[in-house]
Amino acid sequence: NELTELLSNNQLPELSRNEQQHLIRLVSAIPTIIEHQSTVDSFTLRFLLKSLTLPDNESLDSCTMWCGWLSESQQLLVDICVKKEVGWTELRRVGVGYWTTLPVLKQILERAAKTLFMKKRDPRECALLYVALGRLSTLAGLFKVEKETKLCEFFSKDFTLDSVKEIAIKNAYVLLGKQQYEMAAAVFLAAGQISDCISIVLKHLSDPQLALVIAFLAESNSTTTTAST
């Protein structure tokens, strides 16, 4: 709008550069807040205001994430605050692993996995997310498209078989020794070694939110498998 453009082109004398940038984000967020203020709960409005004014180099605070969890309009928050073509790094900033419900989380992670693959056309970039989502066949298909036959065949195996699990665990340790931490975590997870996977994510990737997401999805996949047997 005109005010945003005016503030972008004219530095106010009493404000620092960072303060003016915050003011610009605040002014830009006001139309969205006004549009939804009469139709959503206060937790949703608080989350919207904080996330829409968040600097690019910062992450949401725990209080705001708690508002997201209590929000009765999580899909709206995702539609407005979570860009469609983003990877895990961007999702971590807004704390999707802490406040979204399982259906919403899966939807977001599916998009993120596709985005990560498309950036470099390398299935390794999205392997951990796809395995966490229980989408081994999709991951195998991506390796097939990229003509990586060995990895396609590997992720096409039946990981419920003990013999396949043993081979996978050995491969995971080899990957760990090569410091290929995300792939090692993905292979451990495919083999059902959830604790080993989470240990790598915490120790080597330093990502507690991702560890929580993996544990959350693993529990969901286990419950779904049990229910279907």
Side-chain angles (χ1 to χ4, degrees):
N1 56 39
E2 293 183 7
L3 181 54
T4 301
E5 184 177 353
L6 182 64
L7 289 170
S8 299
N9 296 324
N10 297 275
Q11 178 66 40
L12 298 180
E14 300 299 324
L15 298 181
S16 67
R17 185 176 180 278
N18 288 340
E19 289 171 337
Q20 179 133 345
Q21 289 300 315
H22 179 73
L23 179 59
I24 292 171
R25 290 191 295 271
L26 184 60
V27 170
S28 299
I30 288 175
T32 301
I33 300 299
I34 293 175
E35 178 184 356
H36 297 287
Q37 66 178 346
S38 61
T39 59
V40 299
D41 57 275
S42 61
F43 296 113
T44 301
L45 289 176
R46 291 177 187 177
F47 188 97
L48 282 174
L49 181 60
K50 187 68 176 183
S51 62
L52 291 175
T53 58
L54 186 71
D56 292 337
N57 61 341
E58 294 184 16
S59 300
L60 286 178
D61 59 274
S62 58
C63 289
T64 302
M65 292 180 194
W66 182 241
C67 287
W69 174 253
L70 294 173
S71 168
E72 296 178 357
S73 305
Q74 285 196 0
Q75 189 59 56
L76 175 68
L77 296 183
V78 170
D79 293 340
I80 294 176
C81 304
V82 181
K83 296 178 182 178
K84 291 187 177 181
E85 295 184 0
V86 296
W88 173 250
T89 301
E90 293 85 354
L91 295 179
R92 185 173 55 216
R93 286 184 60 245
V94 293
V96 295
Y98 294 130
W99 58 267
T100 54
T101 59
L102 184 60
V104 174
L105 179 61
K106 285 185 174 181
Q107 172 194 7
I108 296 171
L109 293 179
E110 286 272 3
R111 291 196 323 226
K114 291 178 182 177
T115 299
L116 287 171
F117 171 69
M118 293 304 296
K119 281 184 177 180
K120 297 182 179 180
R121 302 289 301 184
D122 185 355
R124 293 171 184 79
E125 296 291 321
C126 58
L128 184 52
L129 289 185
Y130 272 126
V131 176
L133 287 164
R135 299 289 300 276
L136 291 175
S137 59
T138 300
L139 181 59
L142 293 179
F143 278 116
K144 183 177 182 180
V145 168
E146 296 306 310
K147 296 180 171 54
E148 298 203 42
T149 307
K150 289 185 178 180
L151 286 170
C152 172
E153 292 176 351
F154 176 77
F155 283 107
S156 298
K157 294 181 182 296
D158 183 356
F159 283 89
T160 63
L161 300 176
D162 289 339
S163 57
V164 173
K165 287 183 180 180
E166 290 178 7
I167 294 173
I169 292 171
K170 290 179 181 178
N171 286 331
Y173 278 115
V174 171
L175 290 166
L176 186 59
K178 294 180 179 179
Q179 298 183 355
Q180 296 181 27
Y181 298 125
E182 286 196 28
M183 276 299 291
V187 174
F188 270 127
L189 187 58
Q193 303 300 301
I194 301 171
S195 60
D196 290 319
C197 170
I198 290 177
S199 177
I200 291 173
V201 171
L202 290 173
K203 181 178 179 180
H204 297 289
L205 302 182
S206 302
D207 195 337
Q209 186 177 169
L210 181 57
L212 180 64
V213 166
I214 290 170
F216 193 23
L217 292 173
E219 181 182 10
S220 168
N221 294 338
S222 175
T223 302
T224 301
T225 302
T226 303
S228 63
T229 56

